[in-house]
Amino acid sequence: MPSDTAQPLQWFFACPQFIEPLLADELTALGAEQVKIGHAGVQASGDLRFGYTTMLWSRLASRATLQLAQGYGKDQAELQTLIHSIPWDQHVHPDGTLKVRFFGRNDDIRNTQFGAQWVKDQIGDQFRSSHGERPSVSDNPDIVVAVNLHKGNASIGIELNQQSLHQRGYHDPDAHYPLRENLATAALIRAGWPVLLASDAAHLTLFDPLGAPSTFLIEGALMALDIAPGLLRGRTVTSRWLGHDATLWETLRDAARQRQAAGLERASRYTFSAAGNPAALLNLRTDWQAAGLLPSLLLPAPLGREGLGKEEENGATGLAITHLPYDETTTNVALQPIYTALGEQLASLPPGFHAAIFTDAKAPIALTNLFYSKEYRLLNGETECKLYTFDKLEQKERAANLFAEDLANRIKKNLRKLKPFIKRGDSNAYRVYDADIPEYAIAVDRYADWLHVQEYAPPKTIDEKVAQQRLEQALMTLPEVLEVRPDHIVLKQRKQQKGRNQYEKQGRAEQSLTVTEHGVKLKVNLIDYLDTGLFLDHRPMRRWMQQHAAGKSVLNLFCYTGAVSIHAAVGGAKRVDSVDMSATYLDWAEDNFHLNGLALEPYKYRFIQANAVEWLERCRSRYDLIFLDPPTFSNSKRMEDVFDVQRDHVELIRNCMRILEQDGVLVFSNNFRRFKLDLMIEADYQVQDYRIQSLPEDFQRDPKIHGCWLIRHR
């Protein structure tokens, strides 16, 4: 690398997506001669001083790459030419270490891992031919080589930041923080904090109403006190790069320390304050001290009109900014207390304040009851988020009535019909409402003291906003009429599913609860999957299995979470085999056995992970009772053939009858509403239509919820 630090160089500074314009402005202010906005980053030209200055002072960049070559790279030959055009011995010693980061693909390289290995070998070949030895690979290398391919073009560079530039050093490296430092800074810039800092206001306050994470307040303080992020990091520049200018780097760091000292002398102009739970405030204080900030600058106390000092009551100026939590598995009615309280708190701030809220793009920001001025799209990891800014903190007038009287009356009517069932205590998991009123197109199931609410996708003829308003009205009504806590309501949208899509995981909450049914304990999960692990409409048939299983050998095909198997075991079955393709649900079934104190004796209770159709064809055991409840349709990647219950049920039933004892019973059920049992089955076997008997009290409105037949040998 030439020693002339004033030589023009090309750089690429990476950043989170959607903040590229802010980074371009920052780079220009730091001395870039020219900038060009790209995807998740900005290209810039400037000498080594500019590059070092940016790595020291940038609050928005994630990585700094010195571009060494750009050109064609549509195949290996073109990329090889570009790699060999670079004098690598000017950047790393022949006996040094390197690491390659490879992005994209071309006609020949379709895998990034292979691409990184191939580039490393090309660099090594150049060294071996000229020096007789080559650098080795290391996780702590002298240099990191970055190769990017895009639409036939390639760029090759060296990442000169030794540590990611978004890191400042005050966060616990082993802890999870929901917001990166440079993204928090971008939110502060969009919210107008730098504008306030440049104003002639005598005193400024930065306030976080929730106090977690600590990132907003600390980044705001670093900006206010003119503290370079690079001073906080233990490692910033790749000092083992052969082009590194240690004198220049230390000169820039000394200048940054002088600016920090001057900034701290102006610290009395600022107040940084937070409210929140004790744990959040404790984490804030810990991170604040780790950032080297004066403890006296942080006031972990609520801030409102009453919380301001007398000297600030007139003309108090500041910014309130916070990260508002959101979980898409939580209903709006459960979120409302948090959002409403935040809105009221912000509206109580002095007139000289404005505010910003960073949250998930799906979050119901309207529940804050505030008028937002602007919204900005941001990306937090892979999650799309928004920043809402509020120039005026004024609350809207609330709707007069959010209680749906007609919905409440219908649910009360349903409960009166179910009173004998509820009084018997057969189960504490049952359906209380199923789109009885077209305007409220939801199904409501009670699981102990929780509600599982499924929203049916509205017809295209219904305006989306109207449907959303009715849903929110319903969710406001349910806690009162059913006497449940608002945060014990789980909402999901129900769409037509194929095969076992309804079983696929929706989230990662890993929360479950236990319900009871005819003396059996069953584990359900209302959050992580579209279905809960328990089909409520099969309750009578599970009871039937329990009553008829004593001393019998039982087979449960497509067993799901094993509820039928549990009932059979509790009913005294001598053997129960449960077959399903999903290891997750077989584990769940085992959990259900443990819940009921059933020892998992391998010869008495078997859990078989297999394609039930294929396993059945190979089965040579015989059973007294078989429960068969296949999916309507399945094209799982683990199945060789597509399964269609209407097309395939004849063969499936015959295979079951082959292994059914002469006096045994096959319980065949499915939930395909247009299903028709083939006449050949009725001709070959004794078939009893059991649909009416299998329908529980809470599903009488929907007799087509499933079909059920008892099939015996003639």
Side-chain angles (χ1 to χ4, degrees):
M1 181 73 185
S3 59
D4 182 6
T5 58
Q7 176 184 345
L9 302 170
Q10 297 299 315
W11 304 84
F12 180 80
F13 294 96
C15 68
Q17 194 176 351
F18 305 128
I19 72 169
E20 299 95 340
L22 299 180
L23 177 58
D25 291 342
E26 181 186 59
L27 295 177
T28 300
L30 290 172
E33 297 175 5
Q34 189 176 6
V35 296
K36 181 181 179 181
I37 294 175
H39 175 74
V42 177
Q43 295 180 15
S45 58
D47 58 17
L48 190 61
R49 175 181 289 272
F50 158 73
Y52 279 4
T53 300
T54 300
M55 282 184 276
L56 184 61
W57 281 98
S58 177
R59 304 182 189 278
L60 298 170
S62 302
R63 296 191 310 274
T65 303
L66 173 62
Q67 303 285 56
L68 301 180
Q70 291 179 303
Y72 296 116
K74 72 175 186 301
D75 54 31
Q76 284 180 299
E78 290 185 349
L79 189 56
Q80 183 182 51
T81 299
L82 202 61
I83 293 170
H84 286 284
S85 70
I86 300 170
W88 290 105
D89 54 5
Q90 294 184 14
H91 302 282
V92 63
H93 288 293
D95 60 350
T97 57
L98 59 81
K99 181 178 180 179
V100 177
R101 284 161 46 90
F102 193 96
F103 305 93
R105 59 185 183 179
N106 61 19
D107 293 346
D108 297 326
I109 301 175
R110 316 298 291 177
N111 178 279
T112 55
Q113 185 175 0
F114 169 78
Q117 179 67 37
W118 183 82
V119 170
K120 178 189 71 68
D121 290 341
Q122 297 303 310
I123 297 173
D125 290 345
Q126 185 187 108
F127 272 97
R128 192 178 296 280
S129 63
S130 57
H131 298 281
E133 58 181 325
R134 58 189 295 173
S136 58
V137 176
S138 171
D139 289 332
N140 182 27
D142 296 337
I143 63 169
V144 175
V145 177
V147 180
N148 283 271
L149 302 180
H150 183 64
K151 294 183 178 180
N153 295 313
S155 64
I156 303 172
I158 296 174
E159 293 182 3
L160 291 190
N161 56 286
Q162 189 169 1
Q163 187 175 351
S164 179
L165 298 180
H166 82 269
Q167 297 174 341
R168 316 297 198 226
Y170 56 80
H171 278 166
D172 181 352
D174 297 325
H176 169 71
Y177 288 81
L179 196 62
R180 283 191 170 186
E181 296 87 323
N182 52 352
L183 190 58
T185 298
L188 285 163
I189 294 173
R190 290 295 193 196
W193 182 237
V195 176
L196 286 175
L197 294 178
S199 70
D200 57 1
H203 193 88
L204 293 173
T205 298
L206 185 64
F207 171 48
D208 188 339
L210 300 180
S214 60
T215 321
F216 283 130
L217 283 185
I218 296 179
E219 290 301 312
L222 297 179
M223 295 168 71
L225 302 175
D226 202 22
I227 299 175
L231 290 180
L232 304 180
R233 284 187 291 267
R235 299 171 299 168
T236 295
V237 172
T238 303
S239 58
R240 288 178 286 175
W241 170 54
L242 295 186
H244 175 56
D245 189 329
T247 302
L248 174 61
W249 176 243
E250 285 306 316
T251 299
L252 295 174
R253 281 174 58 85
D254 288 342
R257 292 188 188 98
Q258 294 175 13
R259 288 176 58 174
Q260 177 179 352
L264 291 173
E265 291 179 0
R266 302 189 300 270
S268 60
R269 185 194 181 203
Y270 309 106
T271 295
F272 302 93
S273 182
N277 63 60
L281 296 178
L282 177 61
N283 289 335
L284 171 58
R285 285 193 292 269
T286 300
D287 290 344
W288 188 269
Q289 293 175 5
L293 298 171
L294 299 175
S296 59
L297 293 177
L298 182 63
L299 302 178
L303 178 65
R305 294 183 190 275
E306 303 81 4
L308 292 171
K310 290 184 178 180
E311 70 279 9
E312 298 176 2
E313 289 180 357
N314 297 318
T317 303
L319 169 67
I321 184 169
T322 197
H323 184 191
L324 186 60
Y326 172 75
D327 183 346
E328 63 182 350
T329 64
T330 305
T331 63
N332 287 2
V333 68
L335 292 172
Q336 187 178 27
I338 302 172
Y339 284 52
T340 301
L342 176 62
E344 291 172 351
Q345 188 176 20
L346 293 178
S348 73
L349 294 174
F353 272 75
H354 60 277
I357 295 175
F358 180 91
T359 189
D360 190 287
K362 299 177 184 177
I365 196 69
L367 294 181
T368 62
N369 211 33
L370 297 171
F371 295 96
Y372 65 83
S373 305
K374 292 181 180 179
E375 61 177 286
Y376 298 96
R377 186 182 181 192
L378 296 169
L379 201 63
N380 187 14
E382 296 181 356
T383 303
E384 186 166 335
C385 297
K386 286 187 177 180
L387 180 79
Y388 298 91
T389 61
F390 303 83
D391 294 338
K392 292 184 179 181
L393 296 172
E394 299 176 352
Q395 290 200 293
K396 309 172 188 176
E397 292 184 8
R398 291 194 174 277
N401 184 17
L402 292 175
F403 188 83
E405 195 73 40
D406 47 352
L407 175 64
N409 290 336
R410 178 54 65 97
I411 292 176
K412 290 176 183 177
K413 179 181 178 181
N414 292 348
L415 290 176
R416 286 194 295 271
K417 289 183 178 180
L418 292 175
K419 187 175 180 179
F421 162 78
I422 297 173
K423 191 173 181 179
R424 288 197 309 268
D426 291 347
S427 177
N428 61 354
Y430 50 90
R431 178 154 292 183
V432 297
Y433 176 87
D434 190 5
D436 303 36
I437 303 174
E439 288 79 7
Y440 300 101
I442 57 175
V444 182
D445 296 324
R446 180 158 201 149
Y447 290 84
D449 57 352
W450 284 73
L451 294 183
H452 184 252
V453 180
Q454 300 171 82
E455 177 197 8
Y456 295 112
K460 294 182 180 179
T461 55
I462 301 297
D463 182 81
E464 187 176 342
K465 290 185 178 179
V466 172
Q468 182 63 29
Q469 289 172 356
R470 289 173 179 167
L471 175 62
E472 291 183 4
Q473 191 178 28
L475 293 174
M476 299 296 177
T477 303
L478 293 175
E480 182 173 337
V481 72
L482 290 170
E483 298 181 349
V484 297
R485 288 168 41 182
D487 60 348
H488 276 204
I489 298 178
V490 177
L491 172 67
K492 296 173 188 165
Q493 186 179 59
R494 191 92 193 185
K495 299 177 181 178
Q496 184 173 356
Q497 304 291 319
K498 291 186 176 182
R500 302 188 74 86
N501 284 353
Q502 64 265 38
Y503 310 146
E504 295 303 321
K505 197 154 190 178
Q506 307 291 306
R508 295 188 297 273
E510 304 296 348
Q511 295 183 11
S512 62
L513 64 141
T514 301
V515 297
T516 59
E517 179 183 284
H518 294 296
V520 171
K521 296 178 182 179
L522 296 167
K523 169 185 169 183
V524 295
N525 187 319
L526 307 187
I527 294 176
D528 293 329
Y529 305 85
L530 183 59
D531 280 310
T532 65
L534 183 65
F535 296 130
L536 299 182
D537 59 300
H538 279 309
R539 188 187 315 112
M541 296 316 300
R542 289 191 288 269
R543 176 61 168 164
W544 188 95
M545 292 291 290
Q546 184 184 124
Q547 292 172 329
H548 291 80
K552 305 286 181 63
S553 56
V554 178
L555 172 63
N556 185 8
L557 288 167
F558 304 97
C559 73
Y560 192 31
T561 61
V564 168
S565 302
I566 295 294
H567 276 273
V570 169
K574 67 179 181 182
R575 177 164 63 96
V576 181
D577 287 347
S578 306
V579 183
D580 199 280
M581 193 182 300
S582 168
T584 298
Y585 291 113
L586 288 175
D587 289 343
W588 195 329
E590 291 191 23
D591 290 344
N592 278 330
F593 271 74
H594 286 298
L595 264 179
N596 290 276
L598 296 169
L600 299 183
E601 303 172 31
Y603 298 105
K604 188 172 184 179
Y605 305 128
R606 292 197 304 166
F607 303 90
I608 303 165
Q609 184 181 3
N611 176 340
V613 176
E614 296 176 356
W615 181 88
L616 183 61
E617 291 174 350
R618 300 190 302 267
C619 179
R620 295 296 177 264
S621 300
R622 298 189 67 81
Y623 298 91
D624 300 303
L625 285 177
I626 300 176
F627 190 85
L628 174 62
D629 180 35
T632 298
F633 178 87
S634 180
N635 59 350
S636 169
K637 293 179 180 178
R638 287 172 288 182
M639 293 181 63
E640 293 183 4
D641 299 316
V642 173
F643 176 83
D644 184 307
V645 70
Q646 183 63 69
R647 182 193 66 198
D648 300 328
H649 76 277
V650 172
E651 182 180 3
L652 190 62
I653 289 173
R654 283 180 172 164
N655 275 327
C656 286
M657 300 304 289
R658 176 181 56 81
I659 61 173
L660 183 69
E661 295 287 2
Q662 187 61 36
D663 58 348
V665 181
L666 166 64
V667 180
F668 172 56
S669 176
N670 73 80
N671 64 351
F672 181 35
R673 290 177 178 269
R674 297 192 300 275
F675 179 81
K676 292 183 179 181
L677 189 67
D678 196 289
L679 294 177
M680 290 188 294
I681 297 298
E682 296 183 351
D684 294 344
Y685 307 105
Q686 180 184 338
V687 177
Q688 180 182 359
D689 191 327
Y690 214 70
R691 282 175 285 191
I692 294 176
Q693 298 94 318
S694 71
L695 198 65
E697 297 95 320
D698 45 331
F699 284 85
Q700 294 294 323
R701 282 194 72 254
D702 190 7
K704 293 183 179 181
I705 187 70
H706 66 240
C708 186
W709 297 264
L710 303 184
I711 304 176
R712 298 176 172 88
H713 291 291
R714 288 192 180 279

